[in-house]
Amino acid sequence: MGRELIMALFLSLSLLSVPFAAEAAGIRHYKWEVKYEYKSQDCYKKLAITINGRTPGPTIEARVNDTVVVELKNSLLTENVAIHWHGIRQKGTPWFDGTAGVTQCPIVPGDTFVYKFVVDRPGTYLYHAHYGLQREAGLNGMIRVLLPPGESEPYTYDRDRSILLTDWYHQSTYEQATGLSSLPFVWVGEPQSLLIHGKGKFDCSTPGLKSGLCNATNPECSPYVITVVPGKTYRLRIGSLTSLAALSFEIEGHTMTVVEADGHNVEPFVVKNLFIYSGETYSVLIKADQAPTRNYWAVSKVVSRNSTTPNGLAIFNYYPNHPRRSPPTVPPVGPAWNDVAPRLAQGEAMKARQGYILPPPQTSDRVIVMLNTQNRINGYTRWSVNNVSYNLPDTPYLIAVKDRLNHVFDQTPPPDGYDSQNYDIFSIANNTNATTSSSIYKLQFNSTVDIILQNANTMNANNSETHPWHLHGHDFWVMGYGQGKFDINSDPKNYNLVNPIMKNTVSVQPYGWTALRFVADNPGVWAFHCHIEAHFYLGMGVVFEEGVEMLGRYPTSITGCGDTKGYRRP
């Protein structure tokens, strides 16, 4: 029986949210319904976007080279949707990257869309909504890709667990989007709670709450429990999909050995606090080697912002203690929010593991310096790259480029840099020349590209923010970090050309820079953007195009919006 026929048979079946039997022809099939439901994840009742009634959604588990098929029904009734498979490079399937406006038209209410892609590398990855601000409404989950049978990791552990860290707002995504798009500008503010795998605790005694909205005894918001057996070693796959917050994560009384970052093996190093930014994943090894007579706190804390959000708490439960038994201690308070040095040190400590080093090209063909700025354009607050704030067109780029619909987006190339010599990154800049655009960077196929992310002052005095940047369709080498303004003549001499870690998401610290290198070897159109939800919504991103002419015909299922409304579907 041919592979396509097998696929057709699988697609015709009605399935639950669990995959088929472990080795069924290398195909993992999920049937998901996305809809709004009232949830009380932090004890406060609000609308959340769920997958088959759950948030976070089910963890996708597959083996290297398996095909993942997700049959997604949009039951949001009044909203479109799209899901991005974060960290999956979509080699040969750029149209299933799940980025509305870039690789597909969004899925309209009532429609079912089938994502089909191959997971070609082991590691820890994520999935989340990539339409509007929906990611922060709970449409997210984790992807765990295992090695082929018979192969093993270069480290040992007894159990494998996944933990997703998020922040949580009580205001709806459309209220937030309206405030961000309005005059006067209304910022989203700090999140009300931090969730550890979908569970948090909001103070229901907070003044001004409407009666019946908050219930501190609701079992839905009881702390998340990580149960361990004394003496065993655990691999914790920790992912962050916060909409705003950078986090520190720690487990009271224990150290963690970092062994994987964004799907790549790391030369092991030990941390007490793991700093993790939105879009990042790490695997850490932790041994249950403390006194087994009690439970311990697991804590997430906001860093890089002077936040009012209380720490997230979970229970690290030593069996056979009762999983709901509170630890007898006060939870750790975590590191100072504005201490940049240890966050920078963690990034610099990450190197590719011996035996797993993929050396970077020693030189690059093109250097693009991206100055991250906050601007006002026609009175509206925006985020920009080199004073250009990004707007997505109505027709997805992948279709527009493939079909040469040049009129649907700006054809003037975006700038490769800024006036570094005269721009003061430590002061509030005038930036009166800021504009909006939908133009894209055209990359020569197979060329090596360096990206320098440069942070500057915002529109508030003495303020520069941390930005996690995520690249679709590729991994990149992290060549180096620095403080202050990047010097294109001297700083590249200090790049790590020996064993740089590869990632798909990396942070750029306040008043600092981060240098990346990647090879434009994946035909498609790929977003590169700040992973803070409101920042990307306000224009903090770009799009790369490479080798689209090498692609075959895209599936018609990605059409239906903008200039593709008249396209015929089979």
Side-chain angles (χ1 to χ4, degrees):
M1 186 180 291
R3 186 180 180 88
E4 293 304 317
L5 182 53
I6 294 173
M7 277 295 303
L9 289 171
F10 279 7
L11 286 171
S12 68
L13 296 174
S14 293
L15 304 170
L16 299 174
S17 66
V18 295
F20 276 112
E23 301 303 327
I27 298 172
R28 309 292 176 127
H29 192 142
Y30 296 78
K31 187 173 183 177
W32 289 353
E33 183 182 17
V34 172
K35 62 180 178 179
Y36 273 111
E37 296 185 56
Y38 283 106
K39 292 288 182 183
S40 300
Q41 291 181 270
D42 67 345
C43 307
Y44 182 94
K45 182 180 176 183
K46 67 156 282 186
L47 279 173
I49 303 179
T50 63
I51 297 173
N52 296 352
R54 295 164 56 182
T55 174
T59 295
I60 289 177
E61 185 168 301
R63 290 199 180 273
V64 172
N65 294 326
D66 279 355
T67 297
V68 172
V69 180
V70 179
E71 191 179 338
L72 182 75
K73 182 180 180 183
N74 178 8
S75 294
L76 293 180
L77 302 180
T78 59
E79 293 182 42
N80 299 331
V81 74
I83 292 186
H84 169 54
W85 316 96
H86 183 116
I88 307 301
R89 293 177 297 178
Q90 300 292 349
K91 293 272 190 178
T93 52
W95 34 78
F96 292 139
D97 186 54
T99 315
V102 179
T103 60
Q104 71 169 100
C105 290
I107 309 161
V108 299
D111 265 12
T112 296
F113 185 92
V114 178
Y115 290 100
K116 178 184 174 184
F117 53 88
V118 173
V119 289
D120 62 347
R121 293 170 306 147
T124 308
Y125 308 103
L126 303 162
Y127 65 83
H128 58 81
H130 218 295
Y131 181 81
L133 300 176
Q134 286 177 344
R135 170 161 60 87
E136 68 180 53
L139 183 49
N140 49 46
M142 300 190 73
I143 303 172
R144 182 189 303 184
V145 183
L146 309 177
L147 284 165
E151 294 187 29
S152 58
E153 306 284 5
Y155 41 86
T156 57
Y157 50 91
D158 300 298
R159 299 285 188 275
D160 194 340
R161 303 280 170 77
S162 297
I163 303 172
L164 185 60
L165 306 176
T166 51
D167 47 17
W168 196 239
Y169 286 91
H170 292 168
Q171 197 176 40
S172 69
T173 58
Y174 35 91
E175 287 175 294
Q176 290 194 19
T178 301
L180 294 173
S181 307
S182 294
L183 284 176
F185 177 76
V186 182
W187 174 239
V188 298
E190 300 300 311
Q192 278 65 61
S193 300
L194 296 181
L195 307 184
I196 298 180
H197 216 73
K199 290 176 175 287
K201 185 74 74 172
F202 180 71
D203 183 1
C204 288
S205 65
T206 301
L209 292 184
K210 289 183 180 178
S211 175
L213 276 183
C214 201
N215 177 8
T217 63
N218 190 328
E220 204 175 335
C221 58
S222 57
Y224 184 68
V225 176
I226 308 157
T227 299
V228 297
V229 174
K232 299 291 186 183
T233 298
Y234 291 82
R235 177 182 185 175
L236 298 184
R237 300 174 186 257
I238 304 169
S240 172
L241 282 175
T242 52
S243 59
L244 177 66
L247 299 176
S248 162
F249 179 79
E250 67 179 295
I251 295 177
E252 178 192 11
H254 297 73
T255 58
M256 298 176 282
T257 302
V258 180
V259 293
E260 179 221 347
D262 290 1
H264 294 276
N265 289 321
V266 173
E267 193 62 31
F269 65 98
V270 177
V271 297
K272 177 174 173 283
N273 301 87
L274 178 73
F275 296 107
I276 183 167
Y277 304 90
S278 179
E280 288 190 315
T281 63
Y282 290 99
S283 284
V284 300
L285 301 183
I286 183 167
K287 188 169 184 180
D289 58 2
Q290 298 301 298
T293 54
R294 52 161 289 194
N295 292 335
Y296 297 81
W297 293 110
V299 182
S300 63
K301 178 189 177 169
V302 176
V303 292
S304 87
R305 301 183 67 85
N306 190 8
S307 177
T308 55
T309 309
N311 291 356
L313 298 176
I315 294 177
F316 197 66
N317 164 232
Y318 270 72
Y319 182 84
N321 294 300
H322 193 281
R324 301 293 178 215
R325 182 181 172 192
S326 283
T329 47
V330 174
V333 295
W337 72 269
N338 56 353
D339 190 355
V340 176
R343 305 206 304 269
L344 201 56
Q346 177 181 299
E348 292 172 338
M350 252 184 292
K351 313 294 183 191
R353 188 175 183 124
Q354 292 296 316
Y356 294 85
I357 298 171
L358 182 61
Q362 297 298 288
T363 59
S364 65
D365 302 304
R366 183 176 180 182
V367 178
I368 303 174
V369 182
M370 295 186 173
L371 176 73
N372 299 329
T373 59
Q374 198 177 34
N375 311 72
R376 282 200 180 89
I377 303 175
N378 298 325
Y380 291 90
T381 298
R382 301 282 295 190
W383 279 95
S384 304
V385 174
N386 297 337
N387 276 345
V388 178
S389 186
Y390 208 68
N391 281 338
L392 287 169
D394 295 330
T395 305
Y397 287 108
L398 185 60
I399 301 171
V401 174
K402 183 71 174 166
D403 292 353
R404 297 185 177 87
L405 305 175
N406 293 336
H407 62 283
V408 303
F409 66 92
D410 297 341
Q411 295 300 302
T412 304
D416 274 19
Y418 70 105
D419 184 4
S420 173
Q421 191 169 352
N422 296 309
Y423 194 100
D424 181 5
I425 66 168
F426 297 102
S427 300
I428 299 176
N430 189 349
N431 290 340
T432 50
N433 59 335
T435 59
T436 58
S437 176
S438 60
S439 61
I440 61 177
Y441 288 93
K442 295 181 183 294
L443 306 179
Q444 185 177 344
F445 188 71
N446 260 341
S447 63
T448 300
V449 182
D450 279 3
I451 304 291
I452 315 300
L453 295 167
Q454 174 70 65
N455 253 350
N457 208 92
T458 66
M459 290 189 296
N460 300 314
N462 304 312
N463 178 58
S464 181
E465 299 193 12
T466 302
H467 300 286
W469 277 76
H470 170 59
L471 178 59
H472 293 226
H474 304 79
D475 292 329
F476 48 72
W477 290 274
V478 183
M479 306 303 289
Y481 300 89
Q483 295 174 295
K485 190 186 292 186
F486 177 78
D487 188 323
I488 200 164
N489 296 310
S490 61
D491 285 325
K493 296 174 183 175
N494 298 316
Y495 283 174
N496 177 7
L497 295 167
V498 179
N499 60 350
I501 188 63
M502 296 192 79
K503 297 184 94 269
N504 61 60
T505 304
V506 73
S507 64
V508 54
Q509 299 294 343
Y511 301 113
W513 57 264
T514 302
L516 323 174
R517 178 169 293 174
F518 72 97
V519 178
D521 60 357
N522 191 6
V525 182
W526 307 105
F528 179 48
H529 60 92
C530 178
H531 218 257
I532 292 174
E533 194 81 316
H535 289 184
F536 182 43
Y537 180 82
L538 292 171
M540 197 174 191
V542 299
V543 167
F544 298 124
E545 179 256 302
E546 65 205 53
V548 169
E549 69 280 356
M550 302 169 65
L551 293 169
R553 189 67 185 157
Y554 53 77
T556 56
S557 60
I558 70 169
T559 67
C561 59
D563 271 28
T564 73
K565 282 179 183 171
Y567 283 26
R568 292 184 61 129
R569 295 194 187 189

